[in-house]
Each structure stands twice: as structure tokens, then as C-alpha cells.
Amino acid sequence: ERRHTIAVAESSAGGLINAALVAVPGASAYYLSGAVVYTVPGRIALLGIGKEEIVPPMRSASEPYAALMARRVRANLGATWGLAETGASGPSGNRYGDAPGHACIAVSGPLEAAITLETGSADREANMWAFARRALALLEDCIRKAS
């Protein structure tokens, strides 16, 4: 309706955010592209985010990092909106001390937002679905507020 476009960079949701967006008939009208950015080499190759941009206290699985991912995927693809997710799906936490079920989600576009989700669960699949649902809900909220 609004002729907006979306680009996605996700990590611990494992592609579920992208899959949800392309599952809608007519997705090519708004979905530009997306990637599962799971490693440092992936981050460099797919987003062009080098180590010089990850300046402490920024780290993976943080709101500032999710915001950088969202801004970069949006800019790289020329999208109206960028959506990013990064976290620890489980069953264990990450090397930064975040518990399983920790995710940071960010939206970049006419309105910007970043949130942290803590599910309190070590169930990997359930966390991946929770991360994807919350990311899409945040995007929807931002689109509604920006209009």
C-alpha cells in the first residue's frame, strides 16, 4: 500500500524473518533481499561491516550492533526499511555472556528503533521463532508510527 521496501539482515533467527516476508504472495513488490549473517566473514562479505566499525563497547548481540546491521542492509539495498536481528538462540548463551533466548532487534528507516528480547528459554527453535515474530512486530509498529 505504501510502496515501501524492506531489506533484512538476521542472525540467530536463522532465516525465519526472511522466510516470513517472502511467504506472502506478491513479496517481490516490497522485499528487496535478505541474508543470514552468522559469522564475521559473513558480516564482512554480506554487509561490508569491518572490524574497524565494531568499536567497544559495541559488540555482537547488542542493540547498537543490530542498529548498524539494519542501517547497513537498508543502505546497501536502497530500501525504505532495514530490519536486523542478532542474538543467542540456544541451547547455550554466547561468548559475551548473554543467556540463550537473548536477541537484539533493530529497524532503520523513516523511524528507527532497537529493542532487546529475553525469552528466558534455552529452546533453540522456540527462540528462533520468538525472535522472528518480535522482529516482524517491531517492523510493523515502526511502519504504523511512521505513516
Side-chain angles (χ1 to χ4, degrees), residues 1-42:
E1 283 176 18
R2 294 176 175 95
R3 302 196 192 293
H4 292 185
T5 55
I6 180 77
V8 180
E10 62 183 295
S11 179
S12 4
L16 295 175
I17 299 167
N18 283 287
L21 290 167
V22 299
V24 177
S28 60
Y30 64 87
Y31 177 83
L32 297 182
S33 193
V36 177
V37 182
Y38 208 68
T39 63
V40 171

Side-chain angles (χ1 to χ4, degrees), residues 30-89:
Y30 64 87
Y31 177 83
L32 297 182
S33 193
V36 177
V37 182
Y38 208 68
T39 63
V40 171
R43 180 190 78 211
I44 294 166
L46 298 171
L47 296 177
I49 298 174
K51 64 181 177 182
E52 67 283 352
E53 293 182 77
I54 311 299
V55 180
M58 184 188 293
R59 63 176 181 79
S60 178
S62 68
E63 288 182 19
Y65 179 67
L68 174 61
M69 291 173 65
R71 285 191 304 271
R72 187 59 57 86
V73 75
R74 175 186 180 217
N76 286 355
L77 290 162
T80 310
W81 298 95
L83 176 60
E85 171 276 329
T86 178
S89 52

Side-chain angles (χ1 to χ4, degrees), residues 89-100:
S89 52
S92 59
N94 61 27
R95 63 183 177 164
Y96 305 105
D98 299 313

